[in-house]
Amino acid sequence: MPTITIDNKKVEFENGMTVMQACELAGAEIPRFCYHEKLSIAGNCRMCLVEMEKGPPKPVASCAMPAGDGMVIKTDSDMVKKARKGVMEFLLINHPLDCPICDQGGECDLQDQALHYGFDKSRYEENKRAVKNKHMGPLVSTIMTRCIHCTRCVRFSTEVAGVDDLGLLGRGENAEITTYLEKTIDSELSGNVIDLCPVGALTSKPYSFKSRPWELTKTETFDVFDGIGSSIRVDTRGKQVLRVLPRINEDTNEEWISDKTRFAIDGLSRQRLDKVYIRENDKLNVSDWDTALNQIKNEINKRGKDKTITLSGKFTDAETIIASKLFSEGLGSDLYDCRFDNAQIIHGENESYKFNSSIQEVENADAILLVGSNPRWEASVLNARIRKAFIDNNCKVGLIGPALDLNYAYDKISESLDELNDIMDNKSKFSEVLFNAKNPIIIVGTSAINTREGSSILKTCAEIAKKLPNFSDSFNPLNILNQDISRVGSLELGFVNKIFDEDLEKKLKEEIAINKPVVFLLGLDEINPRSLEGSFVVYCGHHGDVNAQHANIILPTPAYTEKSSTFMNIEGRTIQTSRCYNPLGEAKEEWKIFRVLSDLLKCDIQFNNLNDVRKKLINENKNFLALLEINNSSNLSFSSKQEIKNQKLSYNINNFYMNDSISRASETMANCTHEILNKAKAS
C-alpha cells in the first residue's frame, strides 16, 4: 500500500483517498466547514489548508488534494496556522455576533474553530454585509447573514434529497444561498440541512428559542415512524421532547432521518391519553384502573374467553405482542392479527414479509423493480439509497403502479400488476434490464399485496427473484417493504391468524356478528370503526385518535419515548428503544395490563417483570436474542408462477406527514400538509 508522511508520522492509505482522509488516519485533526463525508467535494471554505513539502509554495486544500505515495504533509506548521487564521478572519468579517441568541450556540463548528484560529477583535472597519432571510417552509428557519457559503445544504439537496430547490446565486460579496423562487423545500429529508449547516444559518423552526443544548437530557434510541428503525437521539427537558437528531448508522439510515421522524415530536404532547376512561350512556368518563380492569374481566367472561380478539397497530412493540398473545392463548383464543392493512403473507415463510437483501445492499443495485411501492413516502432514507444507486451505478428503476415523483428517473412499466406475468415470461420491456443486470433487486410494497391476490403476487415475485442472476444461497433479491416498525416483529412472533387472510375487516365483522366479543385494539386506528360495531372495544394506546373515540374502555399506555421496547425493522434486525422519561399521567405498559388481567381471569401467563417478558420473547423466536443483527435466508421455497389478471393498485399512503396517531396530533405536520402537500396538489 502507498504511504504518506504526516507530521513526521508515516501512514499507509488506500488509493483514491484525499490528503484530509490520510491525515485523519494519522490522528491529525483537520478543521473544515464545507467538507462532508457523504457529499461531493466543493473546496469552498479553505479551512482545511495544509503544507505540502516539494509542492506549491502555498498551503493546499486537503479535502480536494488526492493523497499520493511519498507525500510529506505538515498540519501544524507556522504557515498552516497563519493561513487558517487568515481564512477564519475573512469568515468572521460579515458573521454577526449573535451567538447568545443562536440556536446553534454550543454546537457550532464556527464557534469551535474560532476558539483555535480566531482573533479577539476585528480589523475590518467597512460596512458589514446583511442578507435577507429566505422562506424555506414550516421546518427550516433561515438567518442567512450567518451563511459562509459552504454549500453543504445545496449539495445535500441536489445529491441526496434529489430536489433542486436550493442553489447559490451571485458572485463574491453578492453570493447568496437561496430557494430561487422563495418556495418550500419539497423533500421528506429537508430537515437534514439543519444538521449539515456548520454556522447556524439554517436552524429548526419548531425548535427556535426553545432551549439551549446543555439544558437537554440526551437519550440514544431508535425511530418508530417507519419500518427502517433509524438510529436517533432524543433530546428532552423534563417530560417534553424538544428535538430529535440522527445518529450515524451505516447499516440503516447512514446519518439522515426523515422530516416526520425529526419534527412530528410535538404530537407526543398533544391529544394524549393519560387517564382511564369508561363509556357510560354513550359518553367517555374518567375512571380508575381497578374499575376498568374488573369491567373488562366481566365482559370477557360474559362474551366468551375463547372469542376474544386482539389487533395490533403501527407502534406495537414485541413485548406487547408476546404478552397479548400469551394472554389470548391463556383464554383459549387465537384470534389475533397485525395485518390491519390486509397485507398478505405466505404463512411459515419469513422471506415473504422481510426486506431480504438488506437496506445497505440497495445502493449496490444496478436494476430495481418497484412493485406497488412509493419508497419516498414509505421509507425516505431507503429512497435516498435508491437515488445513490441511480447516481453512482446508473441503476435502472422500473415501476409497476401509478406514476410517482421519486426524484430519480424511472420507467413506468404498467399500472396493472398483471405485467408481472410478462416479466416472468421475459416479454416485458423491463425484463431484459432486470435479467441482464449484475445486481438486480425487487422491492414489493404492501399496496401490491393487500388484496385477495396478494399471496399470488408474492409467489410470482419470488419466482422472478429466483431467475435473477444474483440469486444464491447467500443473497436474496426479493424485498418486502413494510411501512410500520411493528409488522415484521409481530409476524416473527406468529401474531397472525389464517382466519383473517384475504379480507381482515370482512372476517372481523363476521366474527363480531356471531359472537359479540371483547376486542383489544393495541394502538390500532387504521381500521374502520364500523367494522367493530357490536363488540366491546378496549383501546390500549397513547393518543386519542380515531378508534379511541369509539372505544368502550380506554387504557392509557406509554409512547415510544416513554418505555424501553423491542422491535424488528424491515430487514429482521432487532432493535431496542430506550426510555427518555417516565410515562405521562396514569399510563402503564401494555405487558403490565395483560399481567393483571391474567390474574383476574385466572390464566397464568408466567411473567412478572420486563426481563421475564423478554425471556418469553426469545423463547418464542431466537432471532430476538441478537440485537442489531440480521437473520435472513434465501430459500424462497414458496415461489411459483401464478396467473395474475388485471390487478390495478393504488398506494395506501396519501399523506406522508400525517399517517399515524402521533403525526396526526402534530401541529408541525399539519403545517407541512397545508404548505407542502396541498400546495403541490394545487399546482
Side-chain angles (χ1 to χ4, degrees), residues 406-598:
L406 288 177
N407 59 46
Y408 44 80
Y410 65 89
D411 295 326
K412 185 185 173 185
I413 303 171
S414 173
E415 290 196 13
S416 177
L417 288 165
D418 56 6
E419 183 71 16
L420 291 169
N421 300 322
D422 292 339
I423 293 175
M424 167 68 71
D425 297 331
N426 211 3
K427 296 178 180 177
S428 171
K429 291 181 180 178
F430 201 73
S431 298
E432 186 177 350
V433 174
L434 204 60
F435 294 125
N436 291 337
K438 292 182 179 178
N439 295 302
I441 63 171
I442 301 170
I443 299 177
V444 182
T446 53
S447 299
I449 55 175
N450 61 0
T451 66
R452 292 173 179 249
E453 302 295 323
S455 58
S456 297
I457 291 160
L458 278 173
K459 291 174 181 177
T460 300
C461 289
E463 187 69 17
I464 295 171
K466 288 183 80 170
K467 294 174 66 175
L468 297 179
N470 57 343
F471 176 80
S472 67
D473 293 338
S474 59
F475 186 79
N476 186 344
L478 177 65
N479 302 285
I480 314 304
L481 181 52
N482 284 294
Q483 300 166 8
D484 312 307
I485 193 65
S486 68
R487 180 63 54 86
V488 172
S490 300
L491 293 172
E492 284 287 289
L493 293 169
F495 200 77
V496 63
N497 193 312
K498 291 182 180 179
I499 291 174
F500 297 114
D501 282 356
E502 296 184 353
D503 194 332
L504 185 142
E505 289 198 16
K506 181 182 177 183
K507 298 292 182 182
L508 182 63
K509 284 180 180 179
E510 291 174 359
E511 287 289 324
I512 291 173
I514 297 169
N515 301 310
K516 307 287 192 294
V518 172
V519 178
F520 286 90
L521 298 181
L522 305 179
L524 177 59
D525 295 286
E526 280 67 40
I527 62 171
N528 192 334
R530 290 184 178 178
S531 60
L532 302 168
E533 290 177 357
S535 65
F536 187 88
V537 178
V538 180
Y539 184 89
C540 304
H542 40 75
H543 277 76
D545 209 60
V546 180
N547 285 325
Q549 301 172 37
H550 299 271
N552 297 92
I553 291 181
I554 295 175
L555 303 178
T557 61
Y560 78 103
T561 51
E562 299 162 12
K563 60 180 178 179
S564 176
S565 304
T566 305
F567 297 95
M568 260 192 192
N569 79 342
I570 56 174
E571 308 165 285
R573 190 188 303 273
T574 304
I575 59 176
Q576 212 162 78
T577 65
S578 302
R579 175 184 284 191
C580 305
Y581 51 90
N582 292 327
L584 298 183
E586 299 175 10
K588 297 187 185 299
E589 293 175 53
E590 292 89 339
W591 68 264
K592 293 180 180 179
I593 297 171
F594 289 111
R595 178 67 183 84
V596 176
L597 282 172
S598 71

Side-chain angles (χ1 to χ4, degrees), residues 188-204:
E188 295 73 32
L189 299 171
S190 66
N192 291 287
V193 300
I194 298 166
D195 303 326
L196 289 170
C197 182
V199 297
L202 305 176
T203 57
S204 170

Side-chain angles (χ1 to χ4, degrees), residues 138 168 311 331 378 392 450 490 605 612:
L168 182 71
L311 303 172
L331 296 176
E378 293 170 19
D392 296 345
N450 61 0
S490 300
I605 54 178
D612 288 347

Side-chain angles (χ1 to χ4, degrees), residues 642-659:
Q642 305 284 314
E643 191 64 29
I644 301 164
K645 297 180 181 179
N646 196 29
Q647 286 287 316
K648 290 195 174 182
L649 59 85
S650 58
Y651 303 112
N652 53 13
I653 296 182
N654 55 25
N655 184 346
F656 166 77
Y657 297 102
M658 302 181 75
N659 68 331

